[in-house]
Amino acid sequence: MRGTARPVGTPVTAELVHGALELERTPVGIRPHRLPAAALARGGDPQLAMAEAQPSGVRLVAETGARSIELTVLTTRFRFRGLPARPPGVFELVVDGRPVARSIPDTATTVTVDPATGTRETSTAEPATIVFDDLPAGRKLVEIWLPHNETVEIAGLRADAALDPAPGRRPRWLHHGSSISHGSGAEHPLGTWPAVAATAAGLDLVNLGFGGSALLDPFTARTIRDTPADLISIKIGINLVNADLMRLRAFGPAVHGFLDTIRDGHPDTPLVVVSPVHCPIHEDTPGPGAFDPAALARGELRFVATGDPAEVAAGKLTLRVVREQLARIVAERRAGDPDLHHVDGPSLYGPDDAVAHPLPDDLHPDAATHLQMGERFAGRLRAVRSPV
């Protein structure tokens, strides 16, 4: 049952939105972004533009006595032609740190992608309103986590009591990674492994995990440099391999340059470099990665590695090569940077884990693996010395 007071509109301001780096005003309302427009303009990449606008880790946070909160939104869902529809994005309500409800809008704009040609068709929709009722009485901390896998425009926010910015904050953890960090394979916003880790470790998450776009881009490094953080982690490797983006000669200097840029703004902040988790198709086979045509013919989405392992000797990257290089680079830099740390990706998801929970599409983890990775990484974060 709704509260007895009439819902009152609340402006969606930066003070209420956690986990976003910029808010865009659109004809519909407010669209959160995880990269500033100036950084995005440096990329010119539609894949990155799509990924950063999907608000993984972004949530509305307020202290309130409200018993009912309404959110009017327009979400944009992506699907592949000829394949089963992906699960719709979920809005997740947390009260005083405890998840209590989930909601899915009745309507959404849908973008249908042809995996064979890359062409897109868009079916537009009107904003929909979701309602979280029967909130506990009294003053409380309320968080509404936005879908990690859909673009969201917030057209309206209403409640039957004032929604006030939350005083104080937990230590801010800024994380950058690939689609796995973005949350591909997770079933709800709090189920992505960075959200699991942040919740377990008591951290305020800023998730810069971008599907297909953890590519050591200088503009991403500058964004991290310029964003306040108490703890930083970067998970690098899988996108460099499956995009076949660079060779070994370029990889080392690119990693050093990325870390140097971060250190320009965060000279003493604990910084964790995470190598790729286990992925059988790319362990010893270079990219590029591609859709598996045989699977597409069966109506399934799976990935394959199409490179030649013989070319590793000439400098092509595999996950095994990337792990070796990252471990070496961190070990060398730690002599002058004791706040730099290394986490081996297979300690989060390794060959033994793949037996129990194989990657469903040969590239991305399932929901149970996200939970496992998050819990394991939370332990690594607790072990990192922090000035906070």
Side-chain angles (χ1 to χ4, degrees):
M1 181 178 297
R2 300 191 184 195
T4 56
R6 181 182 178 88
V8 176
T10 298
V12 177
T13 63
E15 289 75 23
L16 293 179
V17 182
H18 290 217
L21 297 189
E22 194 165 277
L23 301 181
E24 175 193 5
R25 183 168 295 280
T26 73
V28 172
I30 298 296
R31 177 188 289 137
H33 287 273
R34 296 185 293 134
L35 273 180
L40 190 60
R42 295 288 192 267
D45 178 17
Q47 169 68 27
L48 175 60
M50 178 186 72
E52 70 82 28
Q54 295 176 348
S56 183
V58 178
R59 61 270 184 210
L60 301 174
V61 182
E63 278 202 348
T64 183
R67 302 296 303 277
S68 176
I69 299 176
E70 299 179 1
L71 194 62
T72 300
V73 295
L74 177 60
T75 62
T76 300
R77 299 170 182 165
F78 289 81
R79 66 179 300 270
F80 289 100
R81 185 179 306 282
L83 298 175
R86 294 178 173 182
V90 175
F91 289 78
E92 192 158 11
L93 176 68
V94 178
V95 177
D96 288 334
R98 184 171 64 90
V100 297
R102 298 174 188 172
S103 183
I104 298 172
D106 294 332
T107 61
T109 292
T110 301
V111 178
T112 302
V113 182
D114 187 324
T117 65
T119 57
R120 300 182 177 192
E121 294 182 2
T122 301
S123 174
T124 59
E126 294 297 317
T129 297
I130 59 175
V131 180
F132 291 109
D133 272 337
D134 296 323
L135 275 64
R139 196 77 172 165
K140 51 198 166 286
L141 181 68
V142 171
E143 304 171 58
I144 301 176
W145 288 65
L146 307 184
H148 64 284
N149 55 353
E150 297 180 352
T151 302
V152 176
E153 295 174 81
I154 304 172
L157 173 64
R158 295 170 297 279
D160 57 4
L163 298 172
D164 301 317
R169 66 174 180 87
R170 294 167 291 174
R172 175 181 278 185
W173 168 35
L174 193 159
H175 174 72
H176 171 55
S178 68
S179 59
I180 300 174
S181 297
H182 188 146
S184 184
E187 295 177 346
H188 56 101
L190 283 169
T192 69
W193 79 259
V196 172
T199 300
L203 299 171
D204 183 34
L205 173 65
V206 177
N207 186 359
L208 302 187
F210 306 128
S213 302
L215 298 172
L216 294 175
D217 287 318
F219 53 81
T220 301
R222 290 194 295 271
T223 297
I224 298 172
R225 177 197 65 190
D226 298 338
T227 302
D230 302 299
L231 175 65
I232 299 168
S233 58
I234 60 171
K235 188 172 180 297
I236 295 296
I238 185 64
N239 289 157
L240 296 170
V241 173
N242 60 26
D244 193 26
L245 188 69
M246 61 179 62
R247 300 296 182 263
L248 182 60
R249 169 62 179 83
F251 176 70
V255 173
H256 279 296
F258 201 88
L259 295 175
D260 288 342
T261 298
I262 293 172
R263 280 302 189 217
D264 286 342
H266 298 278
D268 303 311
T269 303
L271 173 56
V272 183
V273 176
V274 188
S275 66
V277 299
H278 181 68
C279 180
I281 65 172
H282 280 305
E283 288 297 315
D284 298 295
T285 302
F291 293 121
D292 182 345
L296 289 177
R298 300 191 301 268
E300 300 176 10
L301 180 62
R302 304 186 78 89
F303 295 87
V304 294
T306 67
D308 182 357
E311 293 189 86
V312 173
K316 272 210 171 188
L317 298 179
T318 66
L319 296 188
R320 198 177 306 277
V321 171
V322 167
R323 290 192 200 102
E324 292 170 354
Q325 293 301 312
L326 288 177
R328 176 188 61 80
I329 289 169
V330 172
E332 291 174 354
R333 293 180 66 109
R334 272 186 61 83
D337 187 354
D339 292 308
L340 182 66
H341 306 268
H342 176 257
V343 170
D344 186 44
S347 69
L348 305 178
Y349 177 81
D352 291 341
D353 300 309
V355 175
H357 293 285
L359 304 176
D361 61 3
D362 298 315
L363 187 61
H364 303 100
D366 60 14
T369 300
H370 271 279
L371 177 61
Q372 170 188 282
M373 288 177 58
E375 291 172 343
R376 289 179 177 179
F377 197 70
R380 307 298 192 277
L381 292 179
R382 296 189 194 100
V384 172
R385 180 176 65 85
S386 173
V388 187

